C-alpha cells in the first residue's frame, strides 16, 4: 500500500492556482489533478481487514489461554470489543465470558466511549473496517501536509497573509478564509 501511495505522489499530482478575488486580494487554491489509483482503496481495505482480524485473534488466543481449552468455549461469539457507546459494551459483555475480570476491565478502559471518539484509534479502525466491509470501499484523497508557496510582492506593499480552513469539494481542496 505504501509503495502504491508513494508512486502516486512522486509526480506531484497537485496544481496550485492563484486566483484574484479583488484588486487587493488573491486566493491560492490547490487542486488534485490526478485521481487516486483504484488499487489504493482495495489495498487499504485489505490492511483494515487484516488489522481487525489480528485483534480478533488476540481475543481468541487470550480466551483459549484463560480457559485452558482449544478451541475456547463460545469461540463463535469472540471478537475484539470495540464499541462507541457504553450501552453497546454492556449488550456485548457475554462475548467476554471466558476472560478474568481484570482483562475485561482493561478492555473496558480502551473503549472509544471512554475517550474522545474522534481520537480513539480502535474506534477509527472499527468504523473504517465496517464501512469497507459492508458499504463501500474506503474513499481516498490526498492532501498536502506542507506547502511553502513563494510570492513576489511589489515594493512598498505590506502583505497580510491569512490561512483559512481546508475544505474538500469534489476534486479540490479549497482554503476558506
Amino acid at each position: 500500500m505504501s509503495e502504491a501511495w508513494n508512486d502516486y505522489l512522486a509526480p506531484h499530482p497537485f496544481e496550485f492556482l492563484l486566483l484574484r478575488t479583488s484588486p487587493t486580494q488573491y486566493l491560492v487554491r490547490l487542486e488534485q489533478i490526478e485521481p487516486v489509483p483504484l488499487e489504493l482503496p482495495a489495498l487499504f481495505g485489505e490492511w483494515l481487514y487484516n488489522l481487525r482480524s489480528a485483534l480478533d485473534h488476540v481475543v481468541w488466543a487470550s480466551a483459549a489461554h484463560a480457559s485452558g481449552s482449544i478451541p475456547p468455549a463460545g469461540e463463535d461469539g469472540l471478537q475484539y470489543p470495540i464499541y462507541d457507546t457504553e450501552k453497546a459494551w454492556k449488550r456485548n459483555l457475554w462475548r467476554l465470558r471466558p476472560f478474568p475480570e481484570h482483562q475485561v476491565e482493561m478492555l473496558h478502559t480502551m473503549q472509544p466511549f471512554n475517550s474522545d471518539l474522534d481520537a480513539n484509534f480502535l474506534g477509527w479502525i472499527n468504523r473504517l473496517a465496517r464501512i469497507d466491509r459492508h458499504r463501500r470501499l474506503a474513499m481516498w484523497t490526498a492532501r498536502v501536509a506542507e506547502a511553502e508557496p513563494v510570492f513576489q510582492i511589489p515594493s512598498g506593499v505590506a502583505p497580510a497573509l491569512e490561512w483559512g480552513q481546508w475544505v474538500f469539494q469534489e476534486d479540490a481542496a479549497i482554503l476558506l478564509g
Side-chain angles (χ1 to χ4, degrees):
M1 183 173 70
S2 63
E3 184 177 309
W5 181 246
N6 289 335
D7 287 347
Y8 167 68
L9 291 179
H12 303 288
F14 305 100
E15 182 176 273
F16 287 94
L17 302 170
L18 183 62
L19 307 169
R20 188 175 190 168
T21 58
S22 77
T24 60
Q25 191 173 33
Y26 292 84
L27 175 69
V28 176
R29 181 172 171 168
L30 173 73
E31 292 186 1
Q32 182 178 332
I33 57 174
E34 290 294 324
V36 173
L38 294 176
E39 68 189 312
L40 278 167
L43 291 169
F44 184 64
E46 279 298 303
W47 177 79
L48 284 169
Y49 174 81
N50 287 322
L51 186 56
R52 189 65 174 101
S53 294
L55 290 169
D56 291 342
H57 180 73
V58 165
V59 165
W60 185 92
S62 297
H65 176 76
S67 68
S69 169
I70 295 181
E75 75 171 331
D76 290 344
L78 291 173
Q79 67 181 28
Y80 194 97
I82 305 174
Y83 300 106
D84 288 343
T85 66
E86 180 88 34
K87 182 179 177 181
W89 166 265
K90 289 179 180 177
R91 190 175 56 243
N92 286 281
L93 272 174
W94 64 272
R95 296 178 182 277
L96 300 176
R97 282 190 197 127
F99 291 93
E101 186 59 33
H102 74 278
Q103 287 180 332
V104 173
E105 288 173 16
M106 180 203 56
L107 290 167
H108 182 266
T109 63
M110 298 183 329
Q111 294 305 302
F113 63 81
N114 280 326
S115 66
D116 178 355
L117 283 178
D118 287 336
N120 185 286
F121 294 118
L122 287 174
W124 273 106
I125 290 166
N126 196 53
R127 284 186 293 278
L128 288 172
R130 191 171 52 244
I131 289 168
D132 185 73
R133 224 175 22 251
H134 300 296
R135 298 179 196 150
R136 64 189 178 282
L137 290 175
M139 299 304 294
W140 275 67
T141 189
R143 73 176 183 91
V144 173
E146 184 177 317
E148 297 178 11
V150 177
F151 301 100
Q152 182 175 359
I153 309 293
S155 62
V157 174
L161 298 177
E162 297 176 18
W163 301 100
Q165 175 185 1
W166 288 105
V167 176
F168 293 95
Q169 293 179 349
E170 297 176 25
D171 295 332
I174 299 172
L175 183 61
L176 299 178

